[in-house]
Amino acid sequence: RHRHRYRHCCHKVHGIRAALCHDTFSAEFCRRHNDANILTMGGRVIGPGLAREVVRIFLSTGFDGGRHAERVAKIADMDK
């Protein structure tokens, strides 16, 4: 119930693209496709070992750009 609260609060700040990730797939693809720059995780749904791996993947994955860049630009335009 409260796990989405931080992600929603982050989106109120200009330039923030927050992602709620509970697995390594989500951590990788929110960076590759959405250029997420804030990672949020639910403390009750992810253990410490997996959380470290999610953070590692989130931090080491870059944005693919290409066909995804247009969508990210539209999101950025909504911030203006």
Side-chain angles (χ1 to χ4, degrees):
R1 159 177 98 190
H2 299 291
R3 64 182 167 239
H4 298 287
R5 182 182 326 171
Y6 297 111
R7 184 171 54 104
H8 291 295
C9 291
C10 289
H11 286 166
K12 294 180 179 184
V13 178
H14 176 71
I16 295 296
R17 290 174 308 281
L20 175 63
C21 300
H22 294 127
D23 54 61
T24 56
F25 178 86
S26 298
E28 178 182 354
F29 281 87
C30 74
R31 292 282 295 137
R32 290 180 60 188
H33 292 183
N34 297 329
D35 199 20
N37 54 15
I38 298 289
L39 171 64
T40 65
M41 295 182 278
R44 294 181 182 168
V45 296
I46 189 168
L50 180 56
R52 282 189 288 277
E53 185 65 8
V54 166
V55 169
R56 185 190 69 74
I57 289 173
F58 183 85
L59 294 176
S60 65
T61 302
F63 179 48
D64 284 351
R67 66 187 176 98
H68 307 293
E70 184 178 337
R71 181 182 59 254
V72 172
K74 287 179 183 178
I75 294 168
D77 286 344
M78 292 184 340
D79 269 349
K80 295 178 185 175

